[in-house]
Amino acid sequence: MIRVFYKPNCKACLMTTHFFIVHHIKFIDIDLSQSPQYAKSLHDKGYLKVPIVITDTEEWSGFRPDKLNQLLQKQRLMRMER
């Protein structure tokens, strides 16, 4: 499952979640302002900006159209294989 850690009013976060919604990619969004335990853990791992996207195989932070498009391609291939 894809997890997106975000903060309210974050434009990059909104753009990332919008991408997932538009492309029908399932994800869980976690508001870091309401979940300080996640915020501390992610900061300790070296993440300094949001959104933070964690998939089964990779992690990244910030709005990353390149990573999002790669993920979309993987999702499409998985759907075709079914």
Side-chain angles (χ1 to χ4, degrees), residues 15-30:
M15 290 168 44
T16 298
T17 56
H18 179 74
F19 182 93
F20 287 129
I21 292 166
V22 166
H23 294 287
H24 308 286
I25 298 173
K26 294 181 182 179
F27 68 99
I28 297 171
D29 56 338
I30 302 161

Side-chain angles (χ1 to χ4, degrees), residues 50-81:
V50 290
I52 300 163
V53 178
I54 299 178
T55 74
D56 293 336
T57 58
E58 62 184 320
E59 304 179 2
W60 71 83
S61 66
F63 179 64
R64 295 284 308 271
D66 59 328
K67 294 284 191 183
L68 292 169
N69 284 312
Q70 287 174 2
L71 187 60
L72 177 60
Q73 293 305 317
K74 288 179 188 175
Q75 293 280 319
R76 287 181 176 162
L77 286 173
M78 288 174 45
R79 288 180 190 147
M80 288 174 48
E81 291 174 354

